[in-house]
Structure formats: structure tokens, C-alpha cells
């Protein structure tokens, strides 16, 4: 949902504003978070921010690419729990070595 529309310069109609919104959302494939329309005679400058996209972590676990393990059966969950976990932090390296 569009949260903020700001027009700088000459005023424009609601239909023209909506046309800019529709154009930018279709062009980028995402909803707008904010839009600033700067008018200068026949020229228009559009400054906009897109809404954030939810990020889902994908990992490779026991040979499978997964986002979450909530749909795994008990055997696959046990297999993941039995894996040797590796760390990249310096503290864990010092403890092992």
C-alpha cells in the first residue's frame, strides 16, 4: 500500500498521480512505499521508494534446499539434529584447536 505521495511544483490531477503510481508499480513489479512528483512545466521527475520484500532464508541441509524444516518428517528432523554443526567464528576455532 502506498504510504506517501508528495507533489512539488505545479499541482496535478488525482488521475495523473494514479497513472504514475500504476506505471511505476507495473515497471518494478512491486508496490510503492513513497512517491515524490516534481513538476516543472512539461517535465516531471519521479522519485520513489519501493516497499520491502519479505526475505526467506534458504539453506542446504542434508542435501536439500529448504527454507524451514516445519514440513519434515521425524526421520529427516533427527538426521538434521545429528549433523555436525560447523562455525565460522574465531572463538569456536580457538576452542577446537
Amino acid at each position: 500500500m502506498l504510504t506517501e505521495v508528495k507533489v512539488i511544483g505545479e499541482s496535478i490531477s488525482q488521475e495523473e498521480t494514479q497513472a504514475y503510481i500504476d506505471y511505476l508499480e507495473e515497471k518494478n513489479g512491486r508496490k510503492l512505499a513513497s512517491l515524490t512528483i516534481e513538476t516543472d512545466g512539461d517535465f516531471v521527475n519521479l522519485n520513489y521508494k519501493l516497499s520491502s520484500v519479505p526475505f526467506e532464508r534458504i539453506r542446504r541441509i542434508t542435501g536439500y534446499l529448504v527454507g524451514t524444516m516445519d514440513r519434515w518428517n521425524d526421520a529427516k528432523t533427527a538426521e538434521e539434529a545429528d549433523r555436525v554443526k560447523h562455525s565460522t567464528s574465531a572463538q569456536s576455532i580457538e576452542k577446537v584447536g
Side-chain angles (χ1 to χ4, degrees):
M1 179 174 189
L2 188 62
T3 58
E4 178 186 349
V5 175
K6 184 194 243 183
V7 178
I8 299 174
E10 302 169 15
S11 63
I12 59 175
S13 68
Q14 181 62 33
E15 293 81 17
E16 188 174 358
T17 301
Q18 189 60 48
Y20 289 129
I21 292 169
D22 294 341
Y23 165 75
L24 291 171
E25 288 180 347
E26 183 177 334
K27 175 184 173 189
N28 293 292
R30 291 175 30 202
K31 296 288 185 183
L32 294 178
S34 67
L35 172 62
T36 301
I37 304 170
E38 297 178 51
T39 60
D40 184 17
D42 291 337
F43 299 98
V44 175
N45 187 27
L46 303 174
N47 295 308
Y48 57 93
K49 290 184 181 179
L50 300 172
S51 62
S52 61
V53 176
F55 177 79
E56 182 179 336
R57 178 179 171 190
I58 304 263
R59 303 174 286 174
R60 183 180 175 105
I61 300 176
T62 65
Y64 296 92
L65 293 175
V66 297
T68 63
M69 299 183 308
D70 59 345
R71 294 179 32 180
W72 284 12
N73 63 25
D74 293 340
K76 187 54 75 177
T77 303
E79 182 181 338
E80 191 277 332
D82 292 340
R83 289 179 64 231
V84 174
K85 309 279 192 289
H86 301 283
S87 177
T88 58
S89 69
Q91 284 183 336
S92 64
I93 294 171
E94 290 173 9
K95 289 179 185 176
V96 173

